[in-house]
């Protein structure tokens, strides 16, 4: 069965408008910031795939280990007819679940949602070819804005993997989980991956690798702004910084100006003092009881919680109440 035509709820002009709004708001804030979603043009996506293979970057390997061990259990517990993946990217880890559901039987539809038309077109074509009995219906959309577009009917399992929820600030997480619950029916399922709190000596190198791949990934947001908005950032004028915030239990990625700079973007002139920092990502780390509490506040009941053998990464299966 071939993949269905992509269902598009996010046009190029929507992305452009969103980028302009984020740049204007973030670069005029007292403490400058840009959101991490703008890392991911084609080059940024390649760099991130490279990051996931680095020796320091444990989250992908740890989450894959959980899914490899628990996929059959997840298929049996949920009995899902429709599998939905948010921020699907290449859907590589998802194949562990697709394999388990295929062996069990009963899964009819796979619905990946992602902002990238090109990534989604490629992944849906590959999955449709590899799972010929599966209906594959890709949705181009933003998981913070388009959850109401998810298909209805049948027992659904939504996947939100990779620890991506950690990129949302606490209030944003609460809004996202509430919107996710509103899009589901009682009895539907959510499978969510969360990186766990651990020794900063393990966490920090995952965001500041020896080969400098993460540094290039971080600076890529400036290249995206240059290309899309005609800005004149000097990406090499910024040093990559990864800091552990012990109080909030999250990593912050920042770009630190190596020298004083003036940057033209949109109708703005943005000044950076030497040493001034631009925050580009927050990556929260979680405790199991905190995950259950946040899910509970959004009317999800945590059903199972699993970790890899080293206890680095958690995967929670929750049910909509």
């Amino acid at each position: 069965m071939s993949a269905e035509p992509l269902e598009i709820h996010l046009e190029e002009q929507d992305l452009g408008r969103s980028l302009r709004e984020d740049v204007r708001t973030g670069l005029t804030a007292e403490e400058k910031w840009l959101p991490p979603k703008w890392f991911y043009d084609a080059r940024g996506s390649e760099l991130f795939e490279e990051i996931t293979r680095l020796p320091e970057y444990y989250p992908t390997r740890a989450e894959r280990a959980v899914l490899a061990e628990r996929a059959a259990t997840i298929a049996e517990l949920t009995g899902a007819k429709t599998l939905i993946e948010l921020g699907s990217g290449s859907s590589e880890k998802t194949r562990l679940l697709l394999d388990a559901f295929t062996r069990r039987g009963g899964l009819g539809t796979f619905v990946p949602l992602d902002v990238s038309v090109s990534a989604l077109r490629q992944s849906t074509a590959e999955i449709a070819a590899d799972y010929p009995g599966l209906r594959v219906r890709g949705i181009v959309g933003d998981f913070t804005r388009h959850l109401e577009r998810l298909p209805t009917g049948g027992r659904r399992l939504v996947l939100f993997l990779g620890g991506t929820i950690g990129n949302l600030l606490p209030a944003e997480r609460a809004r996202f989980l509430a919107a996710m619950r509103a899009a589901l029916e009682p009895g539907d399922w959510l499978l969510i991956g969360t990186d766990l709190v651990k020794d900063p000596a393990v966490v920090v190198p995952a965001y500041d690798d020896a080969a400098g791949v993460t540094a290039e990934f971080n600076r890529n947001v400036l290249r995206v702004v240059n290309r899309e908005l005609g800005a004149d950032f000097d990406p090499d004028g910024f040093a990559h910084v990864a800091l552990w915030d012990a109080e909030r239990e999250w990593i912050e990625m920042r770009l630190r100006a190596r020298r004083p700079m003036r940057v033209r973007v949109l109708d703005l002139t943005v000044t950076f003092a030497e040493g001034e920092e631009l925050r580009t990502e927050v990556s929260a780390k979680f405790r199991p009881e905190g995950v259950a509490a946040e899910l509970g506040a959004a009317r999800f009941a945590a059903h199972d919680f699993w970790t890899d053998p080293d206890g680095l990464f958690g995967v929670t299966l929750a049910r909509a109440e």
Side-chain angles (χ1 to χ4, degrees):
M1 188 180 297
S2 61
E4 297 182 5
L6 297 183
E7 186 178 313
I8 296 177
H9 300 293
L10 196 60
E11 301 285 356
E12 286 296 327
Q13 56 264 37
D14 297 318
L15 288 169
R17 182 167 55 249
S18 179
L19 176 60
R20 289 191 297 274
E21 290 172 357
D22 286 342
V23 166
R24 185 176 298 280
T25 303
L27 295 186
T28 57
E30 186 174 351
E31 295 184 358
K32 298 180 179 70
W33 58 271
L34 288 171
K37 65 182 177 182
W38 303 116
F39 289 136
Y40 295 96
D41 63 352
R43 176 60 178 152
S45 297
E46 288 173 5
L47 286 167
F48 184 72
E49 288 299 317
E50 193 175 338
I51 287 169
T52 65
R53 296 189 290 269
L54 293 170
E56 297 96 331
Y57 195 79
Y58 62 85
T60 300
R61 289 189 296 274
E63 187 178 42
R64 186 182 290 116
V66 178
L67 295 176
E69 183 177 359
R70 304 295 181 177
T73 301
I74 292 164
E76 194 62 38
L77 283 171
T78 64
K81 305 299 183 188
T82 299
L83 197 61
I84 299 166
E85 184 172 17
L86 307 182
S88 56
S90 65
S91 297
E92 181 187 347
K93 284 176 291 192
T94 315
R95 288 171 176 264
L96 295 168
L97 291 162
L98 290 173
D99 290 344
F101 276 97
T102 299
R103 286 192 295 270
R104 181 185 181 278
L107 184 69
T109 306
F110 175 56
V111 184
L113 180 147
D114 199 88
V115 296
S116 171
V117 173
S118 58
L120 205 53
R121 186 168 286 128
Q122 179 177 342
S123 66
T124 55
E126 291 173 354
I127 288 169
D130 292 343
Y131 299 88
L134 193 63
R135 179 188 180 198
V136 181
R137 174 186 168 189
I139 298 178
V140 178
D142 183 334
F143 63 73
T144 65
R145 292 167 47 202
H146 296 115
L147 294 180
E148 77 282 357
R149 303 290 188 174
L150 298 180
T152 58
R155 182 175 293 187
R156 293 173 291 177
L157 168 61
V158 177
L159 313 177
F160 195 38
L161 302 175
T164 304
I165 194 166
N167 296 147
L168 304 177
L169 298 175
E172 294 171 332
R173 291 203 300 268
R175 287 195 296 272
F176 164 76
L177 289 171
M180 185 74 261
R181 176 61 189 85
L184 297 179
E185 299 293 335
D188 285 337
W189 296 87
L190 173 65
L191 189 72
I192 190 164
T194 49
D195 198 3
L196 301 178
V197 174
K198 60 186 70 66
D199 187 337
V202 176
V203 178
V204 174
Y207 296 84
D208 193 13
D209 61 277
V213 181
T214 311
E216 278 305 295
F217 177 68
N218 197 6
R219 283 188 282 264
N220 195 60
V221 72
L222 303 182
R223 297 187 175 96
V224 169
V225 173
N226 282 351
R227 183 184 66 245
E228 298 299 327
L229 300 182
D232 60 356
F233 276 103
D234 173 14
D236 294 330
F238 289 83
H240 167 69
V241 179
L243 297 173
W244 172 248
D245 185 322
E247 181 180 346
R248 296 186 175 98
E249 296 188 319
W250 68 39
I251 279 277
E252 285 194 13
M253 289 209 320
R254 302 179 183 177
L255 292 167
R256 180 181 292 157
R258 301 181 194 270
R259 62 179 190 277
M261 280 180 273
R262 292 166 63 87
V263 178
R264 291 190 302 275
V265 55
L266 300 173
D267 55 357
L268 305 172
T269 298
V270 182
T271 60
F272 287 87
E274 182 178 355
E276 185 176 356
E277 293 176 345
L278 167 68
R279 190 185 75 197
T280 54
E281 181 176 271
V282 163
S283 184
K285 309 306 168 190
F286 295 85
R287 298 179 185 273
E289 61 273 19
V291 176
E294 290 191 37
L295 287 167
R299 296 187 297 123
F300 285 100
H303 189 281
D304 285 284
F305 175 81
W306 302 292
T307 70
D308 59 287
D310 296 320
L312 300 173
F313 197 96
V315 175
T316 303
L317 180 65
R319 196 169 191 177
E321 295 181 312

